Amino acid sequence: MTPTTVRIGSGAGFAGDRFDPAVDLAARGDLDDLVLECLAERTIALGQQRRLADPDAGHDPRLHARLAPLLPVALERGTRVLTNMGAANPVAAGRAVRALLDDLGARASVGVVTGDDVLDVLDLGAPALEDGRPLREHGEIVSANAYLGADAITPALEAGAQVVVTGRVADPSLFLAPLAQRLGWAPDDVDVTAAGTLVGHLLECAGQLTGGYAADPGRFDVPDLAHLGFPFADVAADGSATYGKLDGTGGRLDRHTVREQLLYEVTDPSGYVTPDVLLDLRGVRVDDAGPDRVRVHGARGRPRPDRLKVSVGHRAGTRVEAEISYVGPGADARGRLAADVVATRLAGLPVAPRIEVRGGPEDARLRVAARGDDPAVLDAVGHEVEALYTNGPAGGGGVRVHRTPVLGVVSTLVPRSAVHPRTTILEAVGAAA
């Protein structure tokens, strides 16, 4: 039977999110589905770099640590788990999940969604959306991942997967897919698709909906932030939804937090573009529905776009960061003098360093940062800061010089017909049982 309401929870909003709130949601939330959204544009590009060095790498390095305490609880309660922690290597991530389930003695199906990697078919002459320049002009391209939609996830759910692992999928699509599959929504019903997309948009950042990233003492107080609870939504067949958080958890969920998240990353409220639909937010209503409960409804949609966005990673040189501290009376003046000295000494180099002094009158730290392709120039930047020990103001110490490769990210569009999602089902047989 098709249910009348589905309860879906958000267990992570980025790769560095906390583990405990998801486990609590799975244990006490009476969820049908739980989504872990852990992938950003730079995250997947960095994953591609790791995969180039190791074919078995590239997925989220916290996959085991995040899922080991969560999956036993979720599977016991019949809650499906969907996540994009596959990042640049969903197949390896799926195998890791299967191995974890075997170690736990659990029998379950793991659905792996691939097809987002379009590097082999990318047109390097296509313009980047950010600046209009051809992609090839941005440097060596190391990754290209298309934003898949809910239709890429549905086959895994229809096949009975209790855990679904994806690579690059649009964040709201991770939520839309299980909602549409359970509630029987047709993909061409643009209004319910828009409503499900809105659910995903509001839940995708987890604790941001319950007061995380919003707390500002005296202006916007969030109770018990140390024990911030993550949100869930009770979604009706018409797409309207009531959002809440578990009793006894910290945070707050009200019209303020919901409206703040509603506008997150939205540049055009009349047509927020996703792979599944163009979401029109102009008629959305946000109503209080009790303590830590908010009802949202009124989303409208237009047909999905013919082209998909692609996140493209490229090598963008190396960054050097060099710092030195000054303490005691007059520290800030000595820090400013050090900044002037470094600026003068670097003036003849083909680099535009960022030079800043942070701190107060008795504790100041100079930071110099620059990016470029010439190792000799970058070494000179770090060297001049280090040289301040005996060639600069009095009392300098705590020098740190650090170099890291820079990965740039731009975007482009590809025809939907050029992207071919695939689903693989892996069976965990509870080998350790």
Side-chain angles (χ1 to χ4, degrees):
M1 289 182 60
T2 300
T4 58
T5 303
V6 171
R7 175 169 285 191
I8 189 167
S10 179
F14 77 114
D17 222 333
R18 302 186 65 242
F19 299 163
D20 292 347
V23 179
D24 193 19
L25 263 181
R28 299 195 292 127
D30 193 24
L31 303 177
D32 296 298
D33 297 288
L34 178 63
V35 175
L36 310 174
E37 197 291 287
C38 298
L39 193 57
E41 288 77 7
R42 186 169 179 271
T43 312
I44 195 167
L46 291 171
Q48 291 285 14
Q49 282 195 317
R50 295 196 302 272
R51 186 180 183 183
L52 290 174
D54 178 0
D56 293 325
H59 56 74
D60 192 307
R62 289 191 173 103
L63 183 141
H64 187 280
R66 191 177 297 279
L67 294 185
L70 173 63
L71 289 184
V73 179
L75 293 174
E76 180 183 359
R77 287 158 177 77
T79 299
R80 296 187 302 197
V81 175
L82 299 90
T83 182
N84 53 14
M85 295 180 75
N89 201 342
V91 173
R95 291 171 180 159
V97 172
R98 179 176 62 182
L100 171 60
L101 291 169
D102 283 338
D103 289 344
L104 294 170
R107 304 176 70 91
S109 297
V110 180
V112 178
V113 179
T114 55
D116 61 298
D117 188 337
V118 294
L119 182 59
D120 290 344
V121 299
L122 188 67
D123 177 8
L124 298 183
L129 298 181
E130 291 77 5
D131 58 18
R133 293 164 51 209
L135 295 174
R136 63 169 59 91
E137 293 186 5
H138 291 81
E140 180 189 355
I141 304 298
V142 299
S143 67
N145 295 85
Y147 286 74
L148 303 181
D151 57 346
I153 302 172
T154 302
L157 300 175
E158 294 289 354
Q162 291 122 304
V163 183
V164 177
V165 179
T166 78
R168 179 75 276 174
V169 171
D171 298 347
S173 303
L174 286 166
F175 297 82
L176 173 62
L179 291 173
Q181 191 258 344
R182 288 192 186 275
L183 292 168
W185 291 343
D188 58 356
D189 187 333
V190 293
D191 285 339
V192 292
T193 299
T197 297
L198 177 56
V199 172
H201 176 66
L202 290 174
L203 290 178
E204 66 185 42
C205 294
Q208 283 189 193
L209 196 68
T210 51
Y213 203 54
D216 190 357
R219 299 181 62 187
F220 189 77
D221 294 316
V222 177
D224 197 14
L225 188 60
H227 301 99
L228 184 71
F230 285 179
F232 61 82
D234 292 321
V235 185
D238 65 357
S240 61
T242 299
Y243 298 80
K245 69 181 187 70
L246 296 177
D247 293 341
T249 60
R252 56 185 279 187
L253 199 159
D254 52 30
R255 292 184 72 244
H256 183 112
T257 64
V258 170
R259 287 183 298 171
E260 186 174 272
Q261 179 64 23
L262 182 69
L263 297 178
Y264 174 72
E265 293 186 335
V266 173
T267 56
D268 181 2
S270 70
Y272 181 53
V273 182
T274 80
D276 306 297
V277 73
L278 268 64
L279 170 60
D280 187 341
L281 297 170
R282 291 174 296 178
V284 170
R285 293 288 305 274
V286 179
D287 302 315
D288 285 320
D292 290 317
R293 293 292 186 274
V294 173
R295 183 172 183 266
V296 180
H297 58 99
R300 302 295 301 272
R302 299 195 301 277
R304 68 184 193 178
D306 294 327
R307 297 189 293 175
L308 297 177
K309 182 180 176 182
V310 177
S311 180
V312 180
H314 63 91
R315 300 195 191 281
T318 300
R319 179 188 298 111
V320 61
E321 298 175 84
E323 301 178 358
I324 187 170
S325 288
Y326 297 90
V327 297
D332 54 346
R334 284 179 283 136
R336 291 193 300 271
L337 174 58
D340 292 340
V341 168
V342 170
T344 299
R345 291 173 177 168
L346 296 178
L349 293 179
V351 68
R354 177 171 179 173
I355 303 175
E356 58 189 11
V357 179
R358 297 177 176 176
E362 296 194 359
D363 186 357
R365 189 159 179 85
L366 169 68
R367 176 181 180 269
V368 181
R371 179 166 65 91
D373 297 311
D374 188 336
V377 171
L378 298 179
D379 284 346
V381 173
H383 184 207
E384 288 296 357
V385 174
E386 184 179 10
L388 288 169
Y389 266 133
T390 58
N391 296 266
V399 168
R400 182 189 75 95
V401 179
H402 186 60
R403 297 172 186 82
T404 53
V406 177
L407 197 66
V409 178
V410 294
S411 306
T412 192
L413 299 173
V414 298
R416 185 181 290 271
S417 59
V419 181
H420 305 286
R422 295 178 295 277
T423 299
T424 303
I425 302 296
L426 305 177
E427 297 291 348
V429 296

